[in-house]
Amino acid sequence: MLTNEQINRYKRHLILPEVGAEGQEKLLKAKVLCIGAGGLGCPISLYLAAAGVGTIGLADIDVVSPSNLQRQVLFGMHDVGEPKVEAAGKRLKDLNPDLKLIEHRVVVDSSNVLDLIKDYDIIIDGTDNFPTRYCVNDACVISKKPNVYGSIFRFEGMVTVFAPHLKNPDTGDQGPCYRCMYPEPPDPGSVPSCAEGGVLGVICGTVGSLQATETVKLILGLGRPAIGRLLTYSSADMEFRTYKVRRDPNCPVCGPNPTITKPIDYEQFCGAPILDPKSLEESKQEAHRAKAGPTEAKAAPDPSLDAQGLPPGYRLKPDWEVTPREVKAMLDKKEKFLFIDCRLPNEVQITKIDGSQLIPLQQLGQRVGELMPHKDDKIVVYCRSGSRSLQFSQALRQAGFKDIKSMAGGVLLWNKDINPGGPQY
Ligand SMILES: [Zn+2]
């Protein structure tokens, strides 16, 4: 069945008795869907295409932006602004012309997920938000398809295989699903995303490669799949650990008496959007600025801002917030007020507003004494995008401060309106 070209291309596989020509043919016939063509989807799809997986579906709505290139190894500068699935398609077809790559330029949600996964053998979760994870999980359990799960945050990652229709190879029990491990989503806003918390780029390669390995093992029926076992990776400590994950007999989707038998409203369930429309808009703007070069990037305030210099639809809380324009006017008039930056020192190195002093929100507890002499003074506090500064303001008001306000939209909005072209991070 294998052609001479295929025998040559895959000979390092063919020489493994556990793979051989039979295994390579299984790989060529396999159909795998990777949801997300980001930090994890890139190494996953590169290794699966290289391994000879015959059909790979990629689902992602985003475009390539320069800040992706720190970890998304499928893409280069010439792809900036292109839809990720298209740019990925070109690279993967170049890597392996045998590959049938199916591009799904969609947001995966409850309306399309069952249809999307139905023609694939294995689903890989390379997403970065809770509503999509629950959505992918439920659809995989309902459709009896293995879900090769991975996630990353800051310096850490984790990998497992959810497959309640298959057995844990160690115990012979049915494997768990994502809901068995996380029955409830976290409170909205309580867990920062990689965009907010950061991620060490190289760990995408580690975790994505492990997901690709588990996928290849499932296709080949090789070894012990990570069903019922969760592998965690701490890059800072160079430590891998494995934990047992048990199936919840009362699980609402994989238990014997399921209450969830079709996809539900995951945005409502998690209290968070599946796709933050702002983030797609930001990738497009970032790509546009990169293409325009430094001259145009310096041009003018963001034209989408409203008459007060706020993003469209922003609901300003006048008791609690001031706009960057109001702060600029106060600075220009040399008004007397205390101007506090409550971010972390590493963020100050990226961009800051002159005249502000740094008191990170995390240190407010110990340093509130420093601020006591200003209890009756006017205070304005800012952060990256305006949520930490609101917390800071609330804490100081509780401590009896009279006149403290948060700068709406943070330094990011300042850099769109007052200092256009200033860093967005
Ligand atoms: Zn379950």
Side-chain angles (χ1 to χ4, degrees), residues 7 58 67 83 91 103 113 116 135 154 178 187 221 224 236 240 253 274 278 295 304 313 321 360-361 415:
I7 290 170
L58 268 182
S67 65
R91 172 77 181 93
E103 298 169 10
V113 67
L116 186 70
C135 178
R154 292 175 53 81
Y178 182 72
D187 286 338
R224 289 160 62 220
F240 287 92
V253 63
I274 275 197
K278 265 192 314 199
T295 42
S304 73
E321 290 177 307
L361 175 64
N415 282 351

Side-chain angles (χ1 to χ4, degrees), residues 137-138 141 162 164 175-181 246-255:
N137 177 71
D138 292 358
V141 174
F162 295 119
C177 81
Y178 182 72
R179 279 182 191 269
C180 298
M181 197 163 89
R246 289 191 205 289
R247 190 167 150 263
D248 173 4
N250 299 315
C251 176
V253 63
C254 80

Side-chain angles (χ1 to χ4, degrees), residues 33-37 58-61 104-117 123-125 127 129-137 139 263-264 266-267 273-275:
L33 173 65
C34 184
I35 299 180
L58 268 182
D60 202 303
I61 188 90
H104 301 283
R105 236 182 116 187
V106 293
V107 178
V108 179
D109 62 22
S110 47
S111 72
N112 59 16
V113 67
L114 290 177
D115 201 42
L116 186 70
I117 69 172
I123 314 303
I124 307 177
D125 185 344
T127 62
N129 68 80
F130 292 96
T132 315
R133 286 176 187 153
Y134 281 99
C135 178
V136 171
N137 177 71
I264 62 168
Y266 297 97
E267 298 196 319
I274 275 197
L275 178 84

Side-chain angles (χ1 to χ4, degrees), residues 12 70 78 84 238 240 292 296 305 315 391 396:
R12 300 287 188 281
Q70 169 252 17
H78 62 278
K84 284 186 181 176
M238 181 55 197
F240 287 92
E296 197 182 312
L305 301 179
R315 262 178 275 158
Q391 284 181 45
L396 283 195

Side-chain angles (χ1 to χ4, degrees), residues 35-247:
I35 299 180
L40 296 173
C42 286
I44 291 168
S45 56
L46 275 167
Y47 271 110
L48 293 183
V53 169
T55 304
I56 298 176
L58 268 182
D60 202 303
I61 188 90
D62 208 359
V63 298
V64 179
S65 63
S67 65
N68 297 150
L69 304 179
Q70 169 252 17
R71 64 203 173 284
Q72 299 185 14
V73 291
L74 269 171
F75 311 122
M77 280 305 289
H78 62 278
D79 298 314
V80 166
E82 292 251 314
K84 284 186 181 176
V85 291
E86 275 177 34
K90 279 183 232 159
R91 172 77 181 93
L92 296 171
K93 294 284 281 181
D94 177 51
L95 171 62
N96 192 339
D98 283 350
L99 172 69
K100 184 177 173 204
L101 192 281
I102 304 176
E103 298 169 10
H104 301 283
R105 236 182 116 187
V106 293
V107 178
V108 179
D109 62 22
S110 47
S111 72
N112 59 16
V113 67
L114 290 177
D115 201 42
L116 186 70
I117 69 172
K118 76 173 186 314
D119 295 326
Y120 294 96
D121 310 317
I122 298 172
I123 314 303
I124 307 177
D125 185 344
T127 62
D128 58 358
N129 68 80
F130 292 96
T132 315
R133 286 176 187 153
Y134 281 99
C135 178
V136 171
N137 177 71
D138 292 358
C140 286
V141 174
I142 292 163
S143 309
K144 296 194 168 32
K145 297 191 191 271
N147 171 11
V148 181
Y149 174 85
S151 71
I152 46 171
F153 182 64
R154 292 175 53 81
F155 299 91
E156 297 183 4
M158 56 173 74
V159 181
T160 188
V161 175
F162 295 119
H165 63 293
L166 301 176
K167 289 196 160 65
N168 176 333
D170 297 336
T171 62
D173 298 335
Q174 266 182 276
C177 81
Y178 182 72
R179 279 182 191 269
C180 298
M181 197 163 89
Y182 298 115
E184 298 289 336
D187 286 338
S190 65
V191 180
S193 65
C194 284
E196 293 156 341
V199 63
L200 191 69
V202 294
I203 72 160
C204 300
T206 316
V207 172
S209 302
L210 288 167
Q211 286 178 278
T213 310
E214 285 303 302
T215 305
V216 167
K217 281 166 58 189
L218 286 169
I219 295 168
L220 296 173
L222 185 87
R224 289 160 62 220
I227 297 171
R229 282 184 297 153
L230 174 75
L231 179 86
T232 64
Y233 170 48
S234 162
S235 64
D237 295 325
M238 181 55 197
E239 216 160 53
F240 287 92
R241 287 187 183 174
T242 325
Y243 300 88
K244 288 179 186 144
V245 188
R246 289 191 205 289
R247 190 167 150 263

